[in-house]
Amino acid sequence: MLKISNLHVSINNKEIIKGLNLEVKAGEVHAIMGPNGTGKSTLASVIAGREIYEITSGTIFYKGKDIQTMSIEERASEGIFLGFQYPVEIPGVSMTNFMKTAVNEQRKYRGQDPLNSTDFLALMEEKKKLVEIQSNLTNRSVNEGFSGGEKKKNEIFQMAMLDPALAILDETDSGLDIDALRVVANGVVKLRRPDNAFIIITHYQRLLDYIVPDFVHVLFEGRIVKSGRKELAMELEERGYEWLKNGNF
Amino acid sequence: MDKEPNDIINEVTQGDYKYGFYTDIEMEMAPRGLTEDTIRYISAKKNEPEFLLQWRLKAYHKWLEMTEPTWANIHYPPIGYQSIFYYAAPKQRKELESIDQVDPELVKTFEKLGISLEEQKRLTGVAVDAVIDSVSVKTTFSDTLAKLGIIFCSFSEAVLHHPDLIRQYMGMSVPYDDNFFATLNSAVFSDGSFCYIPKGVRCPIELSTYFRINAANTGQFERTLIIADEGSYVSYMEGCTAPRRDENQLHAAVVEIITMKDAEVKYSTVQNWYPGDKQGKGGVYNFVTKRGICKGNNSKISWTQVETGSAITWKYPSVVLMGDNTIGEFYSVAVTNNYQQADTGSKMIHLGKNTKSTIISKGISAGFSNNSYRGLVRMGKKADNSRNYSQCDSLLLGDKCGAHTFPYLKVENKNSIVEHEATTSKISEDQLFYCNQRGIWNEGAIGLIVNGYAKDVLNKLPMEFAVEAQKLLSISLEGSVG
Ligand SMILES: Nc1ncnc2c1ncn2[C@@H]1O[C@H](COP(=O)(O)OP(=O)(O)OP(=O)(O)O)[C@@H](O)[C@H]1O
Ligand SMILES: [Mg+2]
């Protein structure tokens, strides 16, 4: 589904990703861990197509297509979803209106008719139940005045609504209480299918207790320095990242 | 006499009368320019009573002594007041032969707004064969109103059938010598709307100039007078969301509202005159004077406006809070794109006790445009316990446009409270990326963000107007980012 080869990315002439390789196949869950400031969010943004980052060399192929030929909206409509580390507030725009616009623009891209209000509201109800999100969030303006945890739950709700092929969740578990963590994790577990894939960026092993990843990667100074199975996450939790530095791998 | 279609288009799109009219029409026109004779001619053509002719002449002589105001933050070449035709019989309005002769950009916009072909023709001045539906709509409409004693007709009809009301109230809110443009209007006004709601009557329908097809083509020097007698209520809508082309470049309208004790008037406008092309050529200059007087105690006047059109907008809908416990409101969204210029805002003049006013102004600028808010809040000596709250927000799309705020305060009463808040923001790259990432393209994203920003004002519009206005905001800003 996704194949990244020897990727180099810069912002303002500062190289942040320095030769990264990653392959994600349908049905897989990959966890990416690593210290602050090593380029995890940068990687997520680059896959989504954010223009402030410059790919200086290397390639990203998504569903067999060079991703650099696709706009942000095309990538989204082709099934790439990014759960933001810092979701953005859009004052005055209701969640319903926002999601309806998103769903229908994606449908239009795929040549489908737009959902009418009745069908759309039914879809919303169904997904709200699935991810256990309350109406008092979906009745409000997009992320406006949401608490940190509420914003993260709202990202999961949007993911459920858009039903992506490749979901990248950037620290969606940070700042969550135990219940919210379970909501977020269950959302992923329920949406997991053989034909979709997840990249989960996290600092904590606890999320991976709920969502068992197929692979765990350590991103360090712009490269994946170690990959393993779920046991690697536990090892990282115990030992930190120090042992991976100084060429210990 | 026959003209090539191309000539007609040129004439229409170039926005002046350079080629003149057909000869048989010239009979129905006053000559170019403004003299005392022009005014006598207009008044005679309309069979006006003597008092109105005198009123016009008084205004004309005053106008000759006045100079065009220059304080607004707008720039335009000098207006040739002596090269304008001040009277042309409405039925002789030049007509296009088919919709194909209309600016295709305009037609595209109509389609996006879902406006029927017949309606499109009417709005662009294409000859319409039969408007059977509209006629029948109009009749049922008038019947309902007549039963309640509501008078709703063109200004000219009111002059003929209700001269006493005109004499009593005309000029009460906007005196003949109020300002350069209002005074010009007072001298030469062509037609407009008149509305009287009798004591204790709640007008059950939104009154809309849109229905009054007969008086629809009176754009240039329009004059409207609305009187709400004791305890009455009316919601009045002016304009429509469809862009309206007009061969007259200068517009100077006057709207007056008077509310008696316990009465309420809600006045909503969607102004979408032709703004000129993308380079800023053509487009209407709109110099409007709108003012209401809350004359009786406990009365209320609200102005809600969505301004997206015109090359130049100069407009300050105001309320004089004369009675005690009166309320004045102004809710505005003003969009400027390309080379449009808007200098708009409100004046709230508190004279009575316990009076309250609210100003919510949302400016949106894009392209190379310039958007200014100008507002005056005055607390008179006797306006004890009065309050004003003003909030003026500006949203910038791009970095070639300008937003400015000019709030003026005059407080002569120590027991009154005036609050003012102002913000300037940009559509952030983060917000656009967030929308794009959900599959929403820039056009849709800007539409969403802008409508969210303007929500507090759009919510004040009558329902069906609000839905159209939302679409209109998005369309006005198409192509302004990315
Ligand atoms: N717009 C920017 N301008 C300059 N530097 C940037 C920009 N965005 C990111 N960086 C830098 O790139 C590096 C990687 O940032 P990134 O957000 O990808 O880290 P991260 O791995 O997600 O960290 P965290 O775990 O704290 O979220 C950091 O040093 C950061 O300061
Ligand atoms: Mg990060």
Side-chain angles (χ1 to χ4, degrees):
Chain A
M1 180 165 315
L2 184 76
K3 192 167 176 14
I4 303 177
S5 315
N6 192 29
L7 182 70
H8 291 256
V9 175
S10 293
I11 181 158
N12 302 331
N13 294 321
K14 179 182 159 204
E15 183 160 75
I16 292 169
I17 297 195
K18 307 165 179 169
L20 183 140
N21 297 292
L22 179 68
E23 184 167 6
V24 178
K25 297 203 175 79
E28 294 178 348
V29 174
H30 290 243
I32 295 183
M33 305 182 79
N36 296 130
T38 49
K40 301 182 297 297
S41 296
T42 303
L43 175 65
S45 299
V46 166
I47 297 171
R50 189 156 202 167
E51 283 131 0
I52 53 174
Y53 298 100
E54 190 196 348
I55 297 183
T56 50
S57 67
T59 53
I60 306 178
F61 278 83
Y62 172 68
K63 291 182 176 170
K65 202 168 160 189
D66 182 355
I67 212 168
Q68 285 186 259
T69 63
M70 299 162 77
S71 69
I72 307 166
E73 301 90 334
E74 280 167 333
R75 298 181 201 194
S77 303
E78 291 286 350
I80 292 179
F81 177 89
L82 173 58
F84 286 70
Q85 184 173 2
Y86 306 109
V88 180
E89 301 192 5
I90 310 179
V93 178
S94 73
M95 268 309 293
T96 311
N97 193 11
F98 180 68
M99 272 292 102
K100 191 171 180 197
T101 310
V103 166
N104 282 338
E105 289 211 13
Q106 291 204 11
R107 290 178 67 89
K108 186 172 162 194
Y109 173 89
R110 295 190 290 259
Q112 295 166 306
D113 286 337
L115 288 184
N116 62 33
S117 294
T118 320
D119 291 347
F120 175 77
L121 290 176
L123 179 72
M124 253 191 57
E125 282 311 310
E126 179 198 324
K127 301 297 183 179
K128 265 156 64 181
K129 276 211 195 83
L130 184 78
V131 300
E132 301 170 59
I133 186 169
Q134 273 79 44
S135 300
N136 58 16
L137 292 186
T138 54
N139 288 344
R140 286 162 59 179
S141 296
V142 180
N143 294 323
E144 196 185 14
F146 283 27
S147 75
E150 287 168 343
K151 285 182 181 168
K152 298 301 175 74
K153 282 202 252 180
N154 193 23
E155 294 293 292
I156 295 297
F157 168 67
Q158 293 179 49
M159 174 178 79
M161 287 296 294
L162 296 169
D163 193 20
L166 174 66
I168 305 161
L169 301 180
D170 191 358
E171 297 200 25
T172 307
D173 58 331
S174 291
L176 295 185
D177 63 35
I178 302 292
D179 288 339
L181 183 71
R182 194 183 43 77
V183 166
V184 165
N186 277 344
V188 175
V189 170
K190 285 177 185 162
L191 291 168
R192 193 171 177 177
R193 287 194 313 255
D195 63 341
N196 64 17
F198 292 82
I199 296 175
I200 294 175
I201 297 170
T202 179
H203 286 293
Y204 308 104
Q205 135 76 21
R206 58 177 191 171
L207 179 68
L208 306 178
D209 285 342
Y210 294 94
I211 311 165
V212 181
D214 299 292
F215 299 95
V216 175
H217 310 279
V218 181
L219 185 60
F220 184 68
E221 288 180 353
R223 277 181 301 147
I224 287 177
V225 293
K226 193 162 181 69
S227 296
R229 295 280 171 174
K230 64 174 193 292
E231 295 75 20
L232 177 59
M234 283 189 261
E235 199 172 351
L236 289 169
E237 185 103 340
E238 267 169 41
R239 299 177 60 187
Y241 297 107
E242 245 353 88
W243 62 283
L244 289 170
K245 295 180 183 172
N246 312 319
N248 274 339
F249 39 88
Chain B
M1 231 25 17
D2 284 343
K3 292 204 167 190
E4 291 300 308
N6 266 342
D7 290 345
I8 298 174
I9 295 170
N10 282 340
E11 229 169 86
V12 165
T13 51
Q14 283 169 9
D16 62 24
Y17 283 119
K18 153 159 88 181
Y19 300 102
F21 279 111
Y22 302 93
T23 32
D24 56 337
I25 291 168
E26 271 162 18
M27 307 301 288
E28 281 290 286
M29 292 185 55
R32 236 183 246 275
L34 188 51
T35 62
E36 205 174 300
D37 286 344
T38 326
I39 288 164
R40 288 181 188 281
Y41 179 88
I42 296 171
S43 193
K45 274 284 165 201
K46 296 166 94 61
N47 285 324
E48 287 177 352
E50 181 63 20
F51 84 86
L52 199 51
L53 172 63
Q54 292 310 322
W55 206 79
R56 286 179 183 273
L57 289 172
K58 210 165 51 172
Y60 169 65
H61 289 294
K62 182 72 197 176
W63 182 74
L64 290 176
E65 299 164 9
M66 296 170 109
T67 44
E68 207 170 320
T70 52
W71 43 260
N73 187 22
I74 49 179
H75 306 278
Y76 53 91
I79 296 169
Y81 292 97
Q82 291 304 338
S83 57
I84 293 173
F85 288 97
Y86 287 91
Y87 181 80
K91 59 173 181 183
Q92 268 75 28
R93 191 169 187 260
K94 257 178 311 179
E95 292 189 326
L96 302 180
E97 280 153 15
S98 96
I99 196 86
D100 302 335
Q101 298 174 350
V102 176
D103 180 357
E105 284 291 319
L106 226 83
V107 174
K108 249 194 265 168
T109 309
F110 283 134
E111 279 160 9
K112 285 185 189 157
L113 285 165
I115 289 167
S116 74
L117 187 65
E118 281 303 294
E119 195 69 357
Q120 290 181 27
K121 288 182 181 171
R122 190 177 70 74
L123 292 162
T124 48
V126 173
V128 183
D129 309 330
V131 205
I132 298 165
D133 281 355
S134 318
V135 171
S136 59
V137 165
K138 197 200 160 204
T139 318
T140 32
F141 189 68
S142 312
D143 283 352
T144 317
L145 297 180
K147 278 191 198 118
L148 292 164
I150 294 172
I151 305 170
F152 182 40
C153 60
S154 73
F155 203 92
S156 308
E157 283 174 272
V159 167
L160 297 179
H161 303 301
H162 310 281
D164 295 344
L165 286 174
I166 298 281
R167 194 174 194 156
Q168 189 180 350
Y169 292 107
M170 182 181 188
M172 190 178 266
S173 296
V174 182
Y176 77 93
D177 58 352
D178 190 79
N179 69 70
F180 184 84
F181 296 107
T183 302
L184 176 63
N185 175 290
S186 300
V188 304
F189 67 90
S190 37
D191 208 335
S193 309
F194 176 83
C195 174
Y196 172 81
I197 316 287
K199 275 186 193 167
V201 171
R202 254 192 100 80
C203 184
I205 33 185
E206 316 270 355
L207 284 192
S208 159
T209 46
Y210 194 65
F211 281 108
R212 276 189 322 92
I213 284 148
N214 295 341
N217 299 331
T218 53
Q220 192 169 19
F221 298 106
E222 202 169 343
R223 191 156 187 118
T224 298
L225 176 57
I226 299 172
I227 305 152
D229 215 330
E230 287 181 18
S232 68
Y233 166 86
V234 65
S235 165
Y236 188 96
M237 303 194 291
E238 173 210 317
C240 58
T241 47
R244 287 198 285 174
R245 182 190 57 76
D246 194 300
E247 53 267 52
N248 303 310
Q249 187 160 43
L250 173 66
H251 281 230
V254 169
V255 177
E256 296 187 89
I257 301 178
I258 297 134
T259 51
M260 306 304 173
K261 193 165 156 279
D262 301 320
E264 178 178 352
V265 174
K266 262 185 84 164
Y267 191 104
S268 314
T269 311
V270 171
Q271 183 272 116
N272 192 16
W273 291 107
Y274 185 53
D277 65 15
K278 289 201 164 60
Q279 277 67 48
K281 256 186 70 184
V284 165
Y285 296 176
N286 200 24
F287 296 91
V288 188
T289 305
K290 288 182 164 176
R291 194 174 307 137
I293 296 193
C294 287
K295 199 162 181 294
N297 292 347
N298 315 318
S299 65
K300 178 176 175 184
I301 295 176
S302 306
W303 298 102
T304 306
Q305 60 172 28
V306 175
E307 302 280 322
T308 61
S310 297
I312 291 175
T313 302
W314 180 100
K315 184 177 191 181
Y316 316 91
S318 307
V319 183
V320 180
L321 298 135
M322 198 186 247
D324 294 342
N325 315 312
T326 50
I327 298 174
E329 295 174 335
F330 173 72
Y331 302 105
S332 168
V333 178
V335 180
T336 54
N337 197 0
N338 301 318
Y339 287 89
Q340 285 176 275
Q341 310 175 62
D343 193 299
T344 183
S346 181
K347 289 191 250 182
M348 293 292 173
I349 315 291
H350 293 251
L351 301 177
K353 291 196 231 358
N354 305 319
T355 50
K356 268 201 215 106
S357 66
T358 306
I359 293 176
I360 309 272
S361 160
K362 303 270 183 179
I364 301 164
S365 349
F368 298 88
S369 70
N370 226 335
N371 202 328
S372 304
Y373 167 83
R374 189 180 302 276
L376 168 70
V377 176
R378 191 176 142 201
M379 293 292 176
K381 285 196 183 66
K382 295 185 182 139
D384 290 330
N385 300 318
S386 294
R387 292 185 84 109
N388 161 268
Y389 173 73
S390 303
Q391 183 190 328
C392 307
D393 298 331
S394 312
L395 183 68
L396 296 166
L397 282 76
D399 51 15
K400 304 257 180 336
C401 50
H404 316 272
T405 310
F406 305 99
Y408 304 91
L409 273 183
K410 251 190 179 165
V411 181
E412 297 157 3
N413 181 302
K414 290 209 174 74
N415 300 319
S416 56
I417 301 172
V418 178
E419 288 174 86
H420 179 90
E421 286 178 23
T423 65
T424 301
S425 50
K426 284 191 166 201
I427 289 191
S428 73
E429 202 261 338
D430 283 350
Q431 285 174 327
L432 282 179
F433 179 59
Y434 194 76
C435 293
N436 296 157
Q437 208 299 307
R438 299 308 187 235
I440 304 170
W441 295 74
N442 268 344
E443 247 168 50
I446 288 167
L448 273 177
I449 295 168
V450 162
N451 276 299
Y453 164 80
K455 194 177 78 176
D456 292 346
V457 173
L458 297 175
N459 280 347
K460 303 287 175 187
L461 288 172
M463 236 325 242
E464 68 276 23
F465 230 28
V467 174
E468 288 179 33
Q470 280 179 18
K471 280 195 223 162
L472 180 62
L473 283 193
S474 314
I475 292 171
S476 313
L477 291 166
E478 262 174 22
S480 54
V481 166

